[in-house]
């Protein structure tokens, strides 16, 4: 195994990985809030269409997230084990595959935006706006796919600053162009929601070009045109082994949310708009915790690849120790300030009344999300992706989605019951993930592999594993 240099160790520290991700997320969320505020000046219906469409786009991104997420983990593991050429090859293959999937999705959304919106139970009064927005923004799914893959590959080499600055620039451009197209500023046409869609595509195109430039030089050996034919069946299989459960896991969450948005659409446009506004506010509650969880996944995958299983095991507890208090405090602040903030978006008294009740439920929801983010990402980092997939399929289907329909729609208890179902799902999966991590299954497998490489006898291997397990469990907190 190649020895890791001190500088490389430093760039994989939790803090150095986390703070650029946090700033990127914070500014994205802040500018996303401004975006929602600007769209609300068009109408509450426009906000509902944007919120609904984003759920659809999130669902479709799972098709290329399978490759992008799996590739990111494999890249970090390969760099941790000193195999940078393999990491480079994985990045090239994943980029080509995700781009192909993105082209397919773009063609699909340009061709049939109306039937898709109708199939997902969007209210009739929102269909005209939805057709335009879905066809334009959806037509740029190739850009979304490339941004996802390029950003993931770059972050997992330890460079979290590049994607951060790119995302900041993309969102600033998007907000500026929104202002121009919504209000007709600086001589631009006043195109309303159509202008917002065009602004989204143009800003993503610029971000794609910048990330591609960074990507080409992110490895020690620069990527060039001659690398286009590069393909390694064995490495791609490694990506898929880790990636396909991640894709199913992500799809479970996204389709669960999409189903819940459909249930809200059945309840009415008021509930749909309320959930969209709440999504914007809720993002501020867990952004730092989510940044830590993302950084932990990169760090743990790197440590796992380097064979440092004890350090990998303890890393998740550091994330929980920092993340949980922050999420709880942020959620409580939102309870206090939320009503005033919501007044910036809408004056509809029915929407405001619903959101006021949901703010208290959010105080219960966010800690459960933090637990799942930290433990789920850590399990994924060591390759235990099938387990997270299984519990996601079961509990998101039965608890989050099934109970939302049963209690929220069928029994008529509304959006409050839907939130309660989502809260229950988060905590149930969190408990299962916690006990799985405590079991150290994949960490033990890695330890066994390393001991076998050292040529130890089976008895010596058993004693070494027992000693490592005791040391790992002895000081789990920090």
């Amino acid at each position: 195994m190649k020895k890791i240099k001190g500088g490389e160790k430093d760039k994989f520290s939790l803090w150095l990985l986390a703070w650029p991700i946090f700033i990127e997320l914070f500014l994205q969320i802040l500018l996303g809030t401004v975006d929602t505020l600007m769209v609300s000046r068009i109408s509450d219906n426009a906000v509902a269409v944007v919120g609904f469409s984003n759920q659809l786009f999130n669902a479709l991104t799972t098709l290329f997230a399978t490759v992008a997420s799996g590739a990111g983990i494999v890249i970090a593991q390969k760099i941790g084990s000193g195999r940078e050429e393999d990491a480079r090859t994985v990045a090239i293959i994943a980029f080509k595959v995700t781009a192909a999937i993105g082209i397919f999705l773009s063609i699909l959304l340009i061709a049939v935006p109306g039937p898709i919106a109708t199939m997902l139970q969007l209210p009739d009064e929102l269909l005209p706006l939805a057709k335009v927005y879905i066809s334009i923004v959806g037509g740029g799914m190739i850009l979304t796919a490339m941004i996802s893959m390029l950003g993931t590959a770059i972050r997992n080499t330890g460079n979290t600053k590049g994607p951060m600055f790119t995302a900041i620039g993309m969102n600033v451009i998007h907000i500026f162009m929104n202002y121009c197209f919504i209000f007709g500023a600086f001589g631009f046409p006043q195109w309303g929601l159509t202008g917002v869609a065009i602004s989204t595509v143009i800003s993503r195109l610029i971000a794609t070009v910048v990330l591609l430039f960074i990507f080409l030089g992110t490895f020690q050996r620069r990527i060039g045109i001659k690398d286009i034919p590069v393909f390694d069946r064995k490495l791609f299989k490694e990506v898929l082994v880790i990636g396909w459960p991640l894709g199913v896991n992500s799809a479970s969450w996204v389709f669960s949310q999409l189903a819940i948005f459909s249930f809200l659409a059945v309840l009415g446009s008021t509930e749909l708009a309320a959930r969209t506004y709440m999504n914007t506010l809720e993002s501020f509650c867990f952004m730092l915790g989510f940044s830590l969880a993302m950084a932990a996944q990169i760090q743990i995958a790197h440590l796992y690849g380097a064979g440092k299983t004890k350090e990998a095991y303890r890393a998740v507890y550091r994330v929980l120790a920092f993340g949980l208090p922050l999420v709880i405090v942020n959620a409580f602040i939102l309870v206090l300030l939320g009503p005033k903030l919501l007044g910036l978006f809408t004056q509809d008294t029915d929407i405001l009344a619903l959101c006021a009740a949901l703010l208290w439920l959010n105080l219960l929801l966010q800690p459960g999300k933090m637990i799942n983010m930290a433990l789920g990402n850590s399990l994924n980092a060591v390759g235990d992706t099938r387990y997270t997939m299984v519990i996601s399929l079961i509990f998101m289907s039965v608890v989050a989605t099934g109970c939302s329909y049963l209690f929220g729609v069928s029994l008529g208890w509304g959006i409050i019951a839907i939130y309660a179902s989502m809260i229950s799902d988060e905590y149930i999966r969190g408990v299962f993930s916690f006990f799985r991590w405590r079991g150290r299954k994949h960490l033990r497998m890695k330890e066994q592999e390393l001991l076998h490489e050292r040529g130890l006898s089976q008895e010596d291997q058993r004693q070494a594993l027992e000693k490592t397990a005791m040391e790992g469990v002895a000081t789990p907190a920090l």
Side-chain angles (χ1 to χ4, degrees):
M1 185 178 298
K2 183 179 175 181
K3 186 177 180 181
I4 301 171
K5 296 179 181 179
E8 189 172 334
K9 287 182 181 179
D10 291 341
K11 76 176 182 177
F12 281 94
S13 70
L14 189 64
W15 168 245
L16 289 179
L17 290 169
W19 77 259
I21 297 174
F22 167 71
I23 292 175
E24 177 183 345
L25 286 174
F26 174 74
L27 291 176
Q28 277 187 335
I29 292 168
L30 181 62
L31 293 173
T33 302
V34 175
D35 187 26
T36 303
L37 182 61
M38 295 173 77
V39 173
S40 72
R41 294 298 179 263
I42 301 173
S43 67
D44 285 329
N45 280 351
V47 172
V49 166
V50 171
F52 181 90
S53 300
N54 286 340
Q55 292 299 317
L56 170 63
F57 299 147
N58 288 339
L60 293 175
T61 59
T62 59
L63 295 176
F64 53 77
T66 297
V67 178
S69 301
I73 292 172
V74 173
I75 288 169
Q77 290 180 353
K78 295 299 183 186
I79 291 176
S81 62
R83 302 185 181 104
E84 177 156 325
E85 271 300 307
D86 285 350
R88 180 181 180 276
T89 300
V90 167
I92 295 169
I93 296 170
F95 173 74
K96 293 187 292 184
V97 174
T98 52
I101 296 172
I103 292 171
F104 168 77
L105 293 177
S106 291
I107 294 172
L108 176 68
L109 291 171
I110 291 173
V112 289
I116 291 174
T118 302
M119 180 181 67
L120 295 173
Q121 305 297 316
L122 192 68
D124 291 340
E125 67 268 22
L126 301 182
L127 282 176
L129 284 175
K131 289 178 182 178
V132 174
Y133 191 80
I134 291 173
S135 62
I136 296 175
V137 178
M141 285 297 285
I142 171 60
L143 303 175
T144 306
M146 294 175 73
I147 288 172
S148 173
M149 179 56 233
L150 293 171
T152 300
I154 294 166
R155 283 190 199 93
N156 280 276
T157 63
N159 176 12
T160 52
K161 293 181 182 178
M164 174 192 73
F165 288 119
T166 304
I168 292 170
M170 177 180 72
N171 282 281
V172 169
I173 292 170
H174 178 48
I175 292 300
F176 174 75
M177 295 184 68
N178 273 5
Y179 177 77
C180 294
F181 285 131
I182 291 174
F183 302 106
F186 306 111
F188 282 83
Q190 193 170 351
W191 282 346
L193 191 60
T194 301
V196 173
I198 293 172
S199 165
T200 301
V201 173
I202 292 175
S203 61
R204 287 177 180 173
L205 175 61
I206 295 171
T208 301
V209 173
V210 173
L211 285 174
L212 183 59
F213 177 79
I214 297 172
F215 174 75
L216 294 177
T218 201
F219 296 96
Q220 290 180 2
R221 191 161 65 88
R222 186 174 178 82
I223 297 172
I225 296 177
K226 63 182 180 180
D227 293 305
I228 292 176
V230 167
F231 191 85
D232 187 303
R233 188 184 299 272
K234 182 179 178 182
L235 288 174
F236 188 55
K237 182 179 179 181
E238 285 187 46
V239 171
L240 292 183
V241 167
I242 290 178
W244 78 262
L246 283 176
V248 175
N249 188 357
S250 179
S252 298
W253 185 85
V254 172
F255 280 105
S256 173
Q257 292 300 305
L258 187 60
I260 288 171
F261 261 76
S262 298
F263 301 157
L264 293 170
V266 171
L267 295 176
S269 57
T270 298
E271 286 79 1
L272 193 59
R275 176 58 181 156
T276 301
Y277 290 130
M278 282 299 299
N279 268 351
T280 300
L281 293 185
E282 287 172 14
S283 300
F284 287 99
C285 292
F286 66 87
M287 59 187 170
L288 184 51
F290 185 59
S291 303
L292 288 168
M294 289 180 66
Q297 177 172 300
I298 297 171
Q299 183 190 51
I300 290 172
H302 185 262
L303 291 169
Y304 179 80
K308 299 181 178 180
T309 55
K310 288 187 290 184
E311 292 92 331
Y313 176 76
R314 293 168 182 164
V316 68
Y317 295 104
R318 289 196 297 271
V319 175
L320 289 173
F322 288 119
L324 275 174
L326 288 170
V327 165
I328 293 170
V329 170
N330 287 341
F332 185 72
I333 292 174
L334 194 59
V335 169
L336 299 178
L337 301 181
K340 291 183 179 179
L341 294 174
L342 287 165
L344 299 175
F345 296 95
T346 182
Q347 298 301 316
D348 188 301
T349 54
D350 291 334
I351 294 175
L352 290 173
L354 270 180
C355 289
L358 297 179
L359 286 169
W360 285 99
L361 289 175
N362 182 58
L363 190 58
L364 296 174
L365 176 65
Q366 295 306 323
K369 280 191 172 184
M370 178 67 238
I371 293 169
N372 278 325
M373 286 188 293
L375 291 166
N377 282 8
S378 300
L379 288 168
N380 292 335
V382 300
D384 200 1
T385 55
R386 293 192 183 188
Y387 181 81
T388 57
M389 175 193 71
V390 170
I391 63 172
S392 294
L393 280 173
I394 294 173
F395 295 112
M396 286 184 188
S397 300
V398 176
V399 180
T401 307
C403 291
S404 288
Y405 180 79
L406 175 62
F407 296 111
V409 179
S410 183
L411 296 180
W413 294 354
I415 194 172
I416 301 298
I418 290 176
Y419 255 71
S421 300
M422 292 192 296
I423 292 169
S424 301
D425 165 61
E426 295 287 355
Y427 281 100
I428 291 171
R429 286 188 291 119
V431 169
F432 274 82
S433 295
F434 173 75
F435 284 108
R436 181 68 167 191
W437 185 253
R438 290 280 291 182
R440 297 167 50 95
K441 178 180 177 180
H442 279 250
L443 294 175
R444 291 178 187 277
M445 290 168 59
K446 184 67 173 181
E447 291 160 3
Q448 184 75 52
E449 175 187 325
L450 294 172
L451 292 171
H452 180 72
E453 289 178 359
R454 288 164 53 188
L456 297 181
S457 66
Q458 290 186 351
E459 180 60 24
D460 289 339
Q461 290 181 29
R462 184 186 63 80
Q463 292 178 1
L465 288 172
E466 288 177 355
K467 180 180 178 182
T468 302
M470 291 301 295
E471 291 175 348
V473 176
T475 54
L478 294 173

